[in-house]
Amino acid sequence: MTKITTHILDLTHGCPAAFVKVDFYHIQSESKRIKISHGTTNEDGRLVTPLFSSEVFESGDYELLFHIGEYYKKQEVQTTNPPFLNQVSVRVGLSSEQEHYHVPLLVSPWGYQIYRGS
């Protein structure tokens, strides 16, 4: 069964990024995406439930959309107006129905890093 999870670490404060909104989309084409789910990270910077967990799987391109600008605004971090990073969009290709995909985000108001975790 395919499962996709994430967690967010705030590099500015050196802690998990709590209460960040995350949306998850299936990319149908360059002009069409279907919202599959959404969630908000907990105090540990993790979603309580996976963004996607299904026995019905379709190989293809997906997008995680992290609402980072809102998070740093709540943290009262000085950024530009509009924020340099308002929403971080990460597109990933999911190819196997037997895989667990973990996509952690390391973030600051000025940059980010993403990787496939375990």
Side-chain angles (χ1 to χ4, degrees):
M1 178 168 67
T2 303
K3 183 165 67 168
I4 187 159
T5 57
T6 188
H7 75 272
I8 307 170
L9 298 175
D10 177 346
L11 297 177
T12 301
H13 296 103
C15 64
F19 311 112
V20 177
K21 294 179 190 174
V22 182
D23 297 322
F24 185 60
Y25 297 90
H26 185 200
I27 306 299
Q28 301 289 310
S29 68
E30 283 304 312
S31 61
K32 183 178 179 185
R33 63 184 186 170
I34 306 295
K35 189 173 186 177
I36 295 175
S37 66
H38 64 278
T40 302
T41 59
N42 63 13
E43 295 84 3
D44 195 32
R46 297 177 183 276
L47 297 175
V48 176
T49 59
L51 287 166
F52 180 75
S53 181
S54 176
E55 292 180 11
V56 179
F57 173 76
E58 186 176 338
S59 179
D61 293 326
Y62 291 82
E63 178 184 26
L64 293 95
L65 187 63
F66 300 91
H67 297 267
I68 296 304
E70 292 175 18
Y71 167 76
Y72 280 114
K73 185 176 182 178
K74 289 178 194 173
Q75 298 296 312
E76 299 180 356
V77 171
Q78 288 283 55
T79 63
T80 55
N81 188 13
F84 180 70
L85 289 179
N86 191 30
Q87 296 179 336
V88 172
S89 171
V90 177
R91 288 195 175 185
V92 295
L94 306 183
S95 59
S96 173
E97 63 187 45
Q98 302 301 316
E99 295 286 328
H100 171 190
Y101 296 93
H102 185 62
V103 185
L105 174 68
L106 308 176
V107 69
S108 83
W110 311 108
Y112 66 92
Q113 182 175 356
I114 200 86
Y115 61 97
R116 181 168 180 190
S118 57

